[in-house]
Amino acid sequence: MHTTAITVIPDAMRNIFRQLFRRLTPVDLLVVFHCSVMILLLSFRVRKEGSAAIEFILRYAAVMSAALFVMPALDRSQYPAVRLPAVQFLRHIYPVFLMAPFYQWSYPISGMFFPAPFDEVLARADVMIFGFNVSRDLVHRCGDRVWLTEWMNLSYLSYYLITLYLPLYLYASKRTREFFYAAFIIGSVMFTCFILESVFPARGPIHYDPAVKGYLVAGPVSEFARVFLSRVDIPGAAMPSSHIAGTVTILLLARRFARPAFWITLPFASSLCVATVYGRYHYAVDGIAGLLVALAYVYWIGPWLYERLFPEMQPDTYETVTEIPTPA
């Protein structure tokens, strides 16, 4: 009888977790996984950091609880207000609204792992690879041209639209499988960058190198970028570059699922990758790391994970119109 009880309890637990998993969409599972990783990492710092680490553990736990229980509950709810298209839209794209706090939290968390940033190491790596301090001197080597600085800042700001348009387009087109697949890959890339930024502190040239002397300003576009970024940017979370990682991911997925948008986005995305260094927001090695994260998830890790977690929701390359499904 004792042996039977021991056997039954794990079976019951497995059934509970199986049922819980079936209720989660790909974006829910992604949020749960990210929060779980961050809670695990922070748990190793509780003894030293005390209440500061516990505060962030509670924040991630609250977000994870919402993804585990609140969001699936919305799928089962039959209240007319919950079934409204606007509410359903927010239910499926809510991880977009988590990007900002996850990014903001990465900077104070990184100080719990290392007391000093690794900017000197990153700057030396740039010099070793390229032969000069890229983030400091690229603008001068390009001739300090006003039009180029304006274009680079415009390209850099386009990130905030580029990273949104593909999931929104796929959702609005009711291309369900493609939407969930793209959202899973994009979220995996961004959340991986946030995890790495949380344990690898780097402030970035603008905030660390006194020779850089702040944001580049050459005209109205770069002045707007300076005002906007001085309010939303943080002095950290530079390595790897989530700007490049997210942009390249969107670009590669657009090539597969929305070819016209790919050609429209290509010049902005290409310039953005240069602008992250030209504008002194990142070191060149930050951009290389972001590029590698994007390529790894788009072509290897992401498809491998998605196929095993959601084999019944594999995307089609060409347009299919279906309704957003309600998880069992």
Side-chain angles (χ1 to χ4, degrees):
M1 182 175 179
H2 180 67
T3 304
T4 303
I6 293 176
T7 305
V8 169
I9 291 175
D11 288 341
M13 292 293 291
R14 280 196 295 270
N15 289 332
I16 291 172
F17 283 116
R18 190 177 296 113
Q19 290 298 322
L20 186 60
F21 174 79
R22 288 176 179 174
R23 295 174 182 174
L24 301 179
T25 66
V27 293
D28 298 331
L29 185 63
L30 195 59
V31 172
V32 170
F33 180 76
H34 177 72
C35 292
S36 300
V37 171
M38 292 307 301
I39 289 172
L40 178 63
L41 290 173
L42 286 164
S43 67
F44 293 114
R45 309 306 300 165
V46 169
R47 186 172 181 179
K48 182 178 180 181
E49 301 295 336
S51 60
I54 292 174
E55 177 187 347
F56 282 102
I57 287 175
L58 294 176
R59 292 185 187 184
Y60 284 110
V63 174
M64 184 170 65
S65 298
L68 277 172
F69 303 110
V70 177
M71 296 304 169
L74 293 177
D75 292 330
R76 300 191 302 273
S77 175
Q78 297 303 315
Y79 284 106
V82 174
R83 308 315 302 175
L84 289 174
V87 176
Q88 290 299 301
F89 171 71
L90 293 174
R91 181 265 177 272
H92 289 100
I93 60 101
Y94 76 94
V96 169
F97 301 102
L98 295 174
M99 296 290 183
F102 285 171
Y103 173 70
Q104 294 286 335
W105 297 349
S106 64
Y107 174 58
I109 290 174
S110 66
M112 299 180 188
F113 290 90
F114 294 97
F118 289 95
D119 289 71
E120 292 289 345
V121 175
L122 299 175
R124 286 199 298 268
D126 274 8
V127 174
M128 182 175 65
I129 296 172
F130 298 99
F132 68 103
N133 190 319
V134 185
S135 59
R136 182 190 302 171
D137 301 331
L138 182 61
V139 61
H140 304 310
R141 295 200 172 203
C142 291
D144 296 292
R145 303 178 190 277
V146 171
W147 65 268
L148 183 58
T149 300
E150 291 287 273
W151 171 253
M152 286 293 161
N153 275 279
L154 180 63
S155 300
Y156 190 79
L157 291 174
S158 70
Y159 164 82
Y160 298 97
L161 295 177
I162 289 175
T163 50
L164 291 176
Y165 82 86
L166 183 63
L168 297 183
Y169 164 73
L170 294 175
Y171 186 94
S173 303
K174 296 184 178 181
R175 297 174 64 181
T176 305
R177 293 174 182 270
E178 291 83 355
F179 166 77
F180 277 126
Y181 180 84
F184 183 85
I185 300 298
I186 297 165
S188 297
V189 167
M190 299 303 292
F191 290 165
T192 296
C193 286
F194 297 157
I195 291 172
L196 294 175
E197 290 164 356
S198 296
V199 298
F200 192 92
R203 295 173 64 87
I206 283 179
H207 302 290
Y208 184 82
D209 189 345
V212 166
K213 299 180 181 178
Y215 297 90
L216 289 174
V217 176
V221 176
S222 53
E223 172 61 19
F224 174 80
R226 182 193 67 80
V227 174
F228 174 73
L229 294 170
S230 64
R231 295 177 180 177
V232 303
D233 201 9
I234 59 174
M239 176 66 172
S241 170
S242 54
H243 271 72
I244 289 182
T247 300
V248 171
T249 301
I250 290 286
L251 189 66
L252 295 175
L253 292 174
R255 184 175 181 274
R256 177 178 179 184
F257 297 129
R259 190 63 64 89
F262 165 79
W263 292 112
I264 295 173
T265 309
L266 182 60
F268 291 96
S270 302
S271 297
L272 186 151
C273 292
V274 179
T276 57
V277 181
Y278 181 96
R280 301 163 169 179
Y281 304 109
H282 289 277
Y283 303 99
V285 289
D286 299 344
I288 294 172
L291 176 63
L292 293 176
V293 170
L295 293 175
Y297 273 98
V298 170
Y299 291 116
W300 177 43
I301 301 174
W304 184 85
L305 280 174
Y306 198 83
E307 182 179 0
R308 280 151 184 79
L309 293 172
F310 304 98
E312 75 288 354
M313 298 178 66
Q314 289 298 301
D316 299 316
T317 300
Y318 302 102
E319 186 165 331
T320 56
V321 179
T322 56
E323 296 295 332
I324 297 292
T326 299

